Amino acid sequence: MPDLTRFPITQRWPAKHPERLQLYSTPTPNGVKVSIMLEETGLPYEPHFIDIGKDETWTDAFLSLNPNGKIPAILDPSGPDGQPLGLFESGAILVYLAEKTGMFLPDGPQRYKVLQWVFFQMGGIGPMFGQLGFFHRFAGREYEDKRPRDRYAKESARLLGVLEGQLANNAFIAGPEYTIADIAMLGWVRNLIGFYDAGELVNYAELEAVPRWLETCLARAAVERGLTIPARP
């Protein structure tokens, strides 16, 4: 039985099953990347709901695992060389889990094509869609000056255009197969047109390939499950 007691986060969120991978997260676009990946791979894991509304990511316990104070983070009791491994940053976690299981990240040149799209999401889709969500859906909507909102809407529409072009001749983001690039992207596109209600701002109705791809991804049973994990209290 692995000993996880040396990790302070397990004092705040105790592991009922310390032999399983521990997930500390919230079902946000970044958070569901990891829960979907875990559901897709079938790795045994134990989810812990982190209440970002109550600033739980800024507690000493959470910061001991992720000094950046963001979800998601994991603690794998069976890491490299059999030693426990704590890890944060959703993109890094996706790559780690793909390598651990040998799933959703091909070998050879295709590996780097997948990774380039993961980084595209991390550097573009996530930050831009998130800012648009703030200025359109959250507190920013009260600002009379709409230039910030419109700036992010324009860039988000451009990024969707990049995806539309890529998906016009490919079933999935990086080619014919479903990979961690799709897992990284789907929650953000879903939120943009759903929770953020920004579809009209980015001309989503004019797209064809992106909606088809999103529908295909959301129809996967593991995706459907992962989108609600960890369950909110």
Side-chain angles (χ1 to χ4, degrees), residues 22-39:
Q22 305 294 306
L23 169 65
Y24 308 93
S25 190
T26 308
T28 66
N30 278 333
V32 299
K33 297 177 194 176
V34 180
S35 53
I36 289 172
M37 182 64 172
L38 288 167
E39 289 294 318

Side-chain angles (χ1 to χ4, degrees), residues 13-225:
W13 293 279
K16 295 180 180 178
H17 304 281
E19 75 283 2
R20 301 179 187 176
L21 185 147
Q22 305 294 306
L23 169 65
Y24 308 93
S25 190
T26 308
T28 66
N30 278 333
V32 299
K33 297 177 194 176
V34 180
S35 53
I36 289 172
M37 182 64 172
L38 288 167
E39 289 294 318
E40 291 278 15
T41 61
L43 277 173
Y45 72 102
E46 181 177 353
H48 302 273
F49 177 77
I50 308 301
D51 195 335
I52 57 178
K54 295 181 179 178
D55 291 333
E56 288 187 339
T57 58
W58 301 109
T59 60
D60 290 342
F62 190 88
L63 290 170
S64 69
L65 186 58
N66 182 3
N68 193 37
K70 304 290 184 181
I71 58 93
I74 64 169
L75 177 55
D76 185 358
S78 302
D81 301 322
Q83 297 301 310
L85 173 71
L87 199 62
F88 64 92
E89 280 297 328
S90 57
I93 296 172
L94 285 179
V95 174
Y96 172 72
L97 294 176
E99 293 180 343
K100 181 181 179 72
T101 61
M103 300 173 69
F104 306 114
L105 181 59
D107 296 326
Q110 188 63 19
R111 169 187 176 86
Y112 301 101
K113 293 184 178 180
V114 172
L115 291 177
Q116 73 182 352
W117 287 104
V118 172
F119 295 149
F120 172 81
Q121 183 278 306
M122 301 292 292
I125 291 287
M128 294 301 106
F129 286 16
Q131 292 291 350
L132 179 55
F134 172 80
F135 283 104
H136 180 60
R137 176 69 168 79
F138 297 112
R141 65 184 175 181
E142 299 173 358
Y143 298 175
E144 292 184 10
D145 187 348
K146 297 304 179 186
R147 284 177 296 179
R149 185 204 66 178
D150 293 345
R151 172 184 173 86
Y152 290 116
K154 181 178 180 180
E155 178 62 6
S156 294
R158 187 192 71 80
L159 293 169
L160 281 173
V162 175
L163 290 183
E164 180 76 2
Q166 175 66 7
L167 289 165
N169 299 303
N170 293 285
F172 295 101
I173 295 294
E177 297 181 357
Y178 176 81
T179 69
I180 59 172
D182 303 283
I183 295 173
M185 213 87 66
L186 68 89
W188 279 106
V189 178
R190 173 178 175 265
N191 251 44
L192 182 71
I193 61 173
F195 187 60
Y196 295 160
D197 192 27
E200 186 175 350
L201 285 176
V202 297
N203 301 315
Y204 190 80
E206 298 178 8
L207 304 177
E208 296 181 2
V210 172
R212 181 267 304 161
W213 160 82
L214 182 61
E215 182 179 358
T216 299
C217 291
L218 294 179
R220 296 177 68 92
V223 172
E224 185 176 356
R225 294 192 302 270

